[in-house]
Amino acid sequence: MTSSSNAVPPVLIIGAGTIGLSIGWELARTGTPVQIFDRDAPGRGATWKAGGMLTPDAELQFEESELYRLNHESLDRWPAFVETLERETGIDLGFRTEGTLTVAPDEDSAAAMERVYKFQKKVGADVERLTGAEAREHEPFLAPHVAGAVYTDDAQVNNRALVRALVAGINNYEGSIHSQTPVEAVDPDADAPAVVTAAGDRIEGQQVIVAAGAWSRQIEGLDEAVRPPVRPVRGQILELESRPTFDLRHVVRGPDAYLVPKADGRVLVGATSEEKGFEKAVTAGGLYNLLEGALELVPGLRELTVRRSDVGLRPGTRDNAPLLGPSGAPGVLYATGHYRHGILLTPVTAQEIATLVRTGTVSEWLEAFLPARFADAPAAV
Ligand code: GLY
């Protein structure tokens, strides 16, 4: 595996999840050659196991105002991103805009929902509080005991179609994806940084981008002070098969589970959030908690067929926000640590990192997410 000496050197991207692929597509379509490396097939990590929710208001957390701003900016960019990618590839991304109902199945969760609702109003989110009856009018499949809900006008996408489309999009241009090709190390350099694969190939490029999600910290060749402080956070998810009589329209979120009806007939029930390192087990307790949490919101799920259970490793960081921009090692950028929002943050990450590669300028969208914010306390993850 070599790059021709006369050609423009490629941007080397480690990780073919939604982040690595979308950066690759964005660069390739504007004339920059890219090579993308993945330990597996494209998109088969956390991207494949995601719900595909694009829900910044419904997933708003206290103390995450900067992240909320970025999440919202990315949601605003999603329609044009879908339009361009679908036009270039002919692949339907299953983009749906019915919105999300955050549901309170009991008094305790109603009180928690009310606190979040006040915070949502404070940050200017477009949220609407509904009584139980109003919520059921919007979504007849909600349980009769649901006492109230908050509606948010957001979206969702088919994350697996997204992978297929990004791969097709990259193949339209000067981009190559090396599947089953783990990168063992990077070799930082301001002029000709390189990656070294597990098979021992050394490939030089104009820039290296680490977009390896939960595995980003395992890449060798970076000083301890700048290694990305990313850890795996396990998410178990269940895939059910819908029926003609079960026409759930909205994403439904409760305190212990969320339900995502996909345009292709799948209904996803997610997701646990567990600190178990790289252990990728689907557990009886995990599935029990998901089903219990989901059935109390939408009892009609009981009749659906279980297709499969799955598990993904989210790339968590200490402040739950991504690492975007110069790594501190010459020639190496980070686009990793997207934790719960990798699919949502795809357009803004791809476009702003591509701009950084092309111009060398850190945009205002990246400033709050620069990896250097962890430079004072690099050791703990
Ligand atoms: N954003 C959904 C999840 O991380 O489970």
Side-chain angles (χ1 to χ4, degrees):
M1 226 182 276
T2 53
S3 47
S4 145
S5 54
N6 291 329
V8 177
V11 171
L12 308 173
I13 301 175
I14 308 172
T18 187
I19 298 300
L21 289 173
S22 60
I23 295 169
W25 175 60
E26 198 62 44
L27 286 169
R29 66 191 299 275
T30 48
T32 304
V34 293
Q35 292 198 33
I36 308 179
F37 302 83
D38 200 282
R39 55 196 295 120
D40 200 334
R44 292 313 195 273
T47 299
W48 205 249
K49 320 297 163 59
M53 293 181 293
L54 311 175
T55 56
D57 294 323
E59 292 195 88
L60 175 64
Q61 300 287 324
F62 297 108
E63 314 292 337
E64 291 185 0
S65 303
E66 284 292 348
L67 178 58
Y68 174 69
R69 216 168 76 81
L70 189 74
N71 284 344
H72 231 287
E73 174 64 16
S74 205
L75 176 63
D76 291 347
R77 295 185 191 194
W78 258 102
F81 185 87
V82 168
E83 206 268 318
T84 309
L85 189 53
E86 286 187 344
R87 178 166 32 80
E88 286 194 4
T89 64
I91 294 174
D92 179 354
L93 294 185
F95 186 67
R96 295 182 71 163
T97 55
E98 289 91 339
T100 298
L101 288 164
T102 300
V103 172
D106 54 40
E107 293 293 315
D108 284 351
S109 55
M113 191 175 78
E114 183 61 23
R115 282 195 298 278
V116 174
Y117 174 74
K118 287 193 176 128
F119 185 56
Q120 287 167 324
K121 289 301 258 186
K122 195 171 148 198
V123 300
D126 186 10
V127 287
E128 187 187 348
R129 195 167 26 184
L130 305 174
T131 63
E134 288 167 339
R136 275 185 295 281
E137 229 167 84
H138 275 65
E139 184 50 79
F141 286 89
L142 291 181
H145 62 258
V146 162
V150 169
Y151 173 75
T152 45
D153 182 12
D154 46 34
Q156 58 145 310
V157 69
N158 181 336
N159 39 303
R160 297 184 179 183
L162 174 65
V163 171
R164 287 189 281 272
L166 287 170
V167 170
I170 290 165
N171 287 337
N172 283 340
Y173 300 104
E174 211 182 325
S176 47
I177 301 171
H178 306 283
S179 295
Q180 324 295 345
T181 308
V183 168
E184 204 162 76
V186 297
D187 194 356
D189 187 272
D191 298 322
V195 301
V196 182
T197 68
D201 291 316
R202 185 178 186 282
I203 302 107
E204 283 185 3
Q206 55 170 288
Q207 191 87 55
V208 171
I209 301 176
V210 176
W215 288 267
S216 298
R217 195 173 166 75
Q218 294 189 334
I219 296 161
E220 292 171 15
L222 295 163
D223 288 346
E224 179 58 31
V226 300
R227 280 172 72 208
V230 177
R231 68 180 196 285
V233 181
R234 185 166 82 184
Q236 301 184 49
I237 193 161
L238 199 56
E239 190 179 311
L240 310 176
E241 191 174 318
S242 199
R243 300 176 151 209
T245 50
F246 183 84
D247 185 24
L248 186 72
R249 307 296 299 166
H250 298 83
V251 172
V252 177
R253 297 181 62 90
D256 301 310
Y258 54 76
L259 286 78
V260 194
K262 309 308 283 185
D264 62 10
R266 292 174 299 141
V267 179
L268 304 176
V269 179
T272 64
S273 202
E274 305 162 82
E275 303 279 352
K276 296 284 182 188
F278 284 93
E279 187 190 292
K280 286 177 88 180
V282 175
T283 64
L287 295 187
Y288 175 84
N289 290 342
L290 288 180
L291 280 174
E292 190 180 41
L295 285 167
E296 73 171 344
L297 308 175
V298 178
L301 278 185
R302 202 171 284 278
E303 301 306 322
L304 303 191
T305 306
V306 175
R307 271 204 193 166
R308 64 176 63 86
S309 55
D310 226 327
V311 60
L313 299 175
R314 305 178 185 87
T317 65
R318 265 173 275 153
D319 59 6
N320 299 337
L323 300 162
L324 303 174
S327 66
V332 181
L333 300 177
Y334 288 159
T336 187
H338 289 71
Y339 187 38
R340 306 187 75 97
H341 303 300
I343 308 290
L344 170 60
L345 287 172
T346 289
V348 78
T349 301
Q351 291 160 9
E352 299 307 315
I353 293 289
T355 300
L356 174 58
V357 170
R358 284 192 299 258
T359 67
T361 309
V362 170
S363 76
E364 58 136 343
W365 290 109
L366 300 186
E367 273 162 17
F369 305 99
L370 293 173
R373 72 186 186 277
F374 293 121
D376 291 341
V381 178

